[in-house]
Amino acid sequence: RLEPAALDLIGRILKRSGRYADAVDHHLRALALARDSGDEEDEADFLVSLGETRLAQEDTGRALHDIRHAVALSERSENRPLRAGALNALGRALSLDGQPEEARLSHEQALDLSAPDVDRYEAARALDGIAATYRSDGEPTRARRFWLRALEIYTDLEVPEADEVRMHLRNLDAIPT
């Protein structure tokens, strides 16, 4: 039963090393196994991985398709972190597609699902995504508020995203007011 998850994990590692075509291949293999077994939660999770890899390839159209499918599958699940993760991925894809209002709505839904007692990491991702939409809308004060909240959680969790948020906050400080 670990094989599909292992394939997806290898795909994530390949994505981080910039080997996107190989990553897509691993995600597709994991996805096929999930579909064969009828496991919709795994299918949704692997579709998010595939979509995020396609975002890294700058293939936003296909990424949106994959991630929207993941969101639809996750909505049939009681797994709130899975749904929050899919919604956060959708928010990121929508943001990259130039749809900040829709992206913000997706991240807000993810935040509602991932209250601190459910999944702090997804809550931080949602706050980070909301901040990015405010930054792209030219609202640095609102962006700062959300990034500070995300930074607190990321720092507590000791994840590398904390450094990315610190960079965003430094960049906000460089904006003339």
Side-chain angles (χ1 to χ4, degrees):
R1 184 64 200 134
L2 290 178
E3 186 177 343
L7 286 167
D8 186 65
L9 178 60
I10 292 167
R12 290 173 192 234
I13 293 166
L14 289 166
K15 175 190 155 222
R16 286 187 183 160
S17 65
R19 295 178 52 197
Y20 303 130
D22 292 334
V24 166
D25 178 61
H26 280 76
H27 295 313
L28 288 172
R29 289 169 50 201
L31 186 57
L33 290 170
R35 286 179 174 153
D36 287 348
S37 72
D39 188 331
E40 289 189 344
E41 287 189 1
D42 275 356
E43 183 177 351
D45 192 33
F46 302 155
L47 279 164
V48 167
S49 296
L50 178 61
E52 289 177 340
T53 299
R54 288 187 166 148
L55 283 176
Q57 290 178 301
E58 299 181 2
D59 188 353
T60 308
R62 289 174 75 179
L64 277 167
H65 173 79
D66 295 333
I67 295 169
R68 282 187 172 123
H69 189 180
V71 168
L73 288 171
S74 72
E75 287 174 347
R76 299 197 293 242
S77 168
E78 295 298 316
N79 184 334
R80 290 175 60 170
L82 174 69
R83 291 183 1 229
L87 285 164
N88 274 327
L90 180 60
R92 183 166 179 270
L94 290 165
S95 190
L96 291 172
D97 196 45
Q99 302 178 57
E101 295 83 13
E102 294 86 353
R104 187 166 31 252
L105 177 61
S106 185
H107 287 302
E108 288 170 349
Q109 290 172 340
L111 184 58
D112 288 344
L113 286 167
S114 59
D117 61 324
V118 176
D119 189 328
R120 295 182 69 218
Y121 179 74
E122 288 301 338
R125 283 185 65 206
L127 292 164
D128 189 359
I130 292 167
T133 65
Y134 281 126
R135 170 62 183 99
S136 70
D137 280 348
E139 297 187 49
T141 302
R142 289 178 110 176
R144 175 181 309 287
R145 248 190 339 249
F146 283 93
W147 269 324
L148 287 171
R149 289 174 59 198
L151 178 60
E152 181 180 338
I153 297 169
Y154 282 150
T155 300
D156 190 47
L157 295 174
E158 299 180 7
V159 295
E161 288 87 341
D163 291 332
E164 295 171 21
V165 171
R166 286 185 191 96
M167 181 189 67
H168 293 313
L169 288 165
R170 280 192 301 274
N171 290 339
L172 282 180
D173 289 338
I175 296 173
T177 54

